Amino acid sequence: KIILNKLEIGEFNILNFFMSRARRILPMLLFVLIIFSPLIFFLLPSKMISLSQSILTSLFFVSNIFFYWESGYFGEAINLKPYIHLWSLSVEEQFYIIFPIYCILFYKKNYFLISLISIFLISFFLANILGPKFPNANFFLTPTRVWEILSGVFFMIFEKKKINLNSKFSNAICLVSLIAIILSFFYIDNLDNIPNFNLLPAIVGTGILIIYGEKNNIIKKLICNKALIFIGLISYSLYMLHQPFLAFNKNLNFFEESIITKILFFILLILLSSITWKFIEQPFRNVKKISTKKFLYIIIFIGTTIVILNTIIL
């Protein structure tokens, strides 16, 4: 939406866009990559080479390709890898690099929307046809993931049309959408060669809730309360921190899995994510607190340190 709104008024600057994404993504990424390195060295020395490779590929947003070559996502392997979850960040950033350039070149062309629909259909077709034959490639690689992200683009374009629905119909589809998302936790199997058409109900349901959910009193009470909004605010930190902690525990067996330890872990994760959101995410997103020049110095210094240390390890 940011890209298209700026293009429409002729004010889109790709460098400013990339800088805003860098402020959003890089500080927490670098924090997670560097803060766990000493732990990895002392606690998991036998896994240093593989972990250094995953750190470097995550830093350059190609870890989805690395993990595709190395192993699958589901099963025992995932539990032992602190950075395997960063594959999805790589897919996202690959899209963020290509999509703005694509919009600059083609947004004002008559075939812009048709071309996006064509890319969506090709990606969707590949995901469903290749999934059973090449499950790892289907899961990790961008060509079979693009259709999911493009779904969001289509909903954004739909939202810009400002199509108002009858209140009763809007309430009904919002409720059905929420149910579809909840049920997806049960009917989608981890080993079902995802992504595939089974994801469509949850993806479509999410788009509908984003556009119409706030106008629905029931949905608003369910998902727009302060507690869930706060979870949304800290969700990037939650995403970045959860897997390293889980992997260390799985590798070293600090705690046996039980309902109590899972509850305690969740509380600890919320607490730590709240702290990193407040003291890392928020300050770095604020230009008044950290100028662009200062931001670049910090990011380049930490990024270079990570590259040198892990190259030495390799």
Side-chain angles (χ1 to χ4, degrees), residues 165-293:
L165 299 177
N166 175 281
S167 60
K168 287 184 179 179
F169 181 66
S170 172
N171 290 342
I173 62 166
C174 282
L175 195 59
V176 170
S177 296
L178 184 59
I179 292 169
I181 293 168
I182 294 168
L183 288 178
S184 69
F185 284 93
F186 302 99
Y187 74 76
I188 294 176
D189 189 278
N190 284 347
L191 302 175
D192 193 24
N193 300 318
I194 55 175
N196 56 33
F197 61 88
N198 287 333
L199 297 181
L200 272 176
I203 291 172
V204 172
T206 301
I208 288 169
L209 287 182
I210 290 170
I211 297 173
Y212 296 109
E214 198 176 1
K215 298 167 187 174
N216 182 304
N217 288 330
I218 299 171
I219 299 297
K220 196 171 182 180
K221 286 178 182 177
L222 286 173
I223 63 175
C224 295
N225 56 71
K226 288 183 179 180
L228 286 184
I229 287 172
F230 182 70
I231 294 294
L233 289 172
I234 66 169
S235 61
Y236 182 53
S237 283
L238 280 170
Y239 158 73
M240 294 299 290
L241 292 173
H242 81 282
Q243 180 60 23
F245 283 115
L246 288 172
F248 276 116
N249 186 54
K250 198 71 178 178
N251 276 286
L252 301 164
N253 294 314
F254 283 129
F255 303 103
E256 286 192 21
E257 288 188 14
S258 67
I259 295 296
I260 294 172
T261 56
K262 285 179 179 178
I263 292 170
L264 290 173
F265 171 75
F266 185 68
I267 293 169
L268 177 65
L269 190 60
I270 294 287
L271 178 63
L272 292 173
S273 299
S274 303
I275 293 168
T276 54
W277 170 71
K278 184 172 179 59
F279 294 105
I280 295 176
E281 286 193 66
Q282 283 193 305
F284 276 96
R285 292 179 73 179
N286 191 334
V287 182
K288 293 179 181 177
K289 288 188 178 180
I290 298 175
S291 67
T292 300
K293 190 176 181 181

Side-chain angles (χ1 to χ4, degrees), residues 94-112:
Q94 288 163 24
F95 181 83
Y96 276 134
I97 291 167
I98 295 169
F99 187 66
I101 298 169
Y102 190 83
C103 288
I104 290 170
L105 293 174
F106 302 114
Y107 178 58
K108 295 194 176 175
K109 307 287 186 184
N110 293 330
Y111 52 80
F112 175 72

Side-chain angles (χ1 to χ4, degrees), residues 4 7 10 17 35 47 55 63 89 103 116 130 141 146 148 165 186 190 204 207 224-225 242 244 258 287 298 305 308:
L4 297 194
L7 279 172
F17 175 78
I35 203 71
K47 295 182 172 21
I55 287 169
S63 65
L89 189 66
C103 288
L116 289 184
L130 298 182
L141 301 183
V146 164
E148 297 172 277
L165 299 177
F186 302 99
N190 284 347
V204 172
C224 295
N225 56 71
H242 81 282
S258 67
V287 182
I298 294 169
T305 302
I308 290 170

